[in-house]
Amino acid sequence: MTSQLFAICFHTTRPADLARFWSGLLGWEPADGPDDGIVLLPPADTGFRIRFLPGQEPKTGQNRAHFDLTSVSPEGQRRTVARALELGGRHIDVGQLPEEGHVVLADPDGNEFCVIEAGNAFLAGTGFIGALACDGTQEVGYFWSEALRWPLVWDQDQETAIQSPHGGTKITWGGPPVAPKTGPNRPAFELALPADADWRAEADRLVSLGATRTGTGEGDAGRALMLDPDGNEFSVRMPR
């Protein structure tokens, strides 16, 4: 059976602070998670959780992935920005132009995200988290489309995007050049399988699509650890 996107995981030295920030900004409920982490539980129409896992490495360099939050009106965009600042976020400069309508911010741990202007047609109907925007190749977009069995909803000029057949948040890749990694990715995909699934068979399928196994054995904390074709870490939860 095909893996499902279970969670977007952030490894951080400040899991409680980040969970508080994103829970307040998104309105998602927090709960204790495994691995001494904290999980934010999504509304019913969203297909993944957000997990904050304790890590020892401070953030260095710009993340390869960030959330794009949508706005229904200019006033709504201003409210989201104000709420983010109130919760401990800050404005940052990643080279955006003054005439661009989105606002670039960072959470209390420096993870970048954007608040998109109202009227963005590409993100229409996706929900508050319109996209997880990734720095990546066309190849990795094709890989994740096959891995999750999510259709491509954009494939042009080496830029790709996929979306669950049920709708919701899009995952996008901007094409080359891809920024070099500066260490393990902060945001990482965590996949899950149904309880009766054969995770070894699924790991073999992912490898056949272009993934690479890391380490040996069954990973740690009940997860198989892998890399996608662009070298991004992800994990597959083992059925219990």
Side-chain angles (χ1 to χ4, degrees):
M1 293 185 179
T2 303
S3 295
Q4 298 177 337
L5 179 58
F6 179 77
I8 305 297
C9 298
F10 287 81
H11 292 81
T12 172
T13 58
R14 306 170 61 184
D17 291 342
L18 284 198
R20 189 178 306 112
F21 173 87
W22 284 102
S23 175
L25 187 59
L26 299 176
W28 293 19
E29 291 297 322
D32 291 335
D35 314 314
D36 297 322
I38 302 172
V39 59
L40 299 188
L41 303 176
D45 60 350
T46 303
F48 59 83
R49 298 159 175 80
I50 301 176
R51 297 182 63 206
F52 302 98
L53 304 174
Q56 299 303 315
E57 295 187 20
K59 183 177 183 294
T60 58
Q62 188 171 319
N63 287 341
R64 274 190 168 185
H66 66 269
F67 288 132
D68 282 343
L69 307 183
T70 61
S71 306
V72 297
S73 66
E75 178 57 31
Q77 184 186 29
R78 288 191 288 270
R79 283 197 300 268
T80 298
V81 171
R83 180 61 173 157
L85 298 176
E86 177 186 334
L87 290 166
R90 58 186 173 87
H91 288 278
I92 59 170
D93 182 359
V94 296
Q96 67 271 27
L97 301 175
E99 62 269 23
E100 293 177 323
H102 62 277
V103 179
V104 184
L105 302 170
D107 69 18
D109 205 27
N111 299 301
E112 304 86 3
F113 67 99
C114 294
V115 184
I116 305 300
E117 66 276 15
N120 184 292
F122 181 69
L123 300 181
T126 55
F128 190 27
I129 303 180
L132 179 67
C134 306
D135 192 13
T137 63
Q138 185 181 52
E139 179 187 9
V140 86
Y142 291 169
F143 167 82
W144 282 110
S145 177
E146 291 291 334
L148 298 175
R149 301 282 169 83
W150 286 15
L152 284 162
V153 294
W154 182 264
D155 184 9
Q156 185 173 314
D157 299 327
Q158 300 191 63
E159 298 177 355
T160 52
I162 62 175
Q163 187 179 31
S164 166
H166 306 293
T169 301
K170 294 178 177 178
I171 305 177
T172 70
W173 292 271
V178 178
K181 289 187 64 178
T182 57
N185 287 345
R186 285 238 158 170
F189 294 170
E190 184 175 20
L191 312 185
L193 288 165
D196 59 348
D198 182 345
W199 73 265
R200 290 181 178 84
E202 175 63 359
D204 289 343
R205 185 185 75 90
L206 294 170
V207 168
S208 75
L209 294 174
T212 304
R213 292 182 173 89
T214 65
T216 59
E218 298 183 352
D220 64 348
R223 297 189 300 272
L225 308 177
M226 309 189 81
L227 302 175
D228 72 14
D230 277 0
N232 302 303
E233 301 84 2
F234 71 96
S235 62
V236 184
R237 291 168 62 94
M238 300 172 190
R240 298 181 181 181

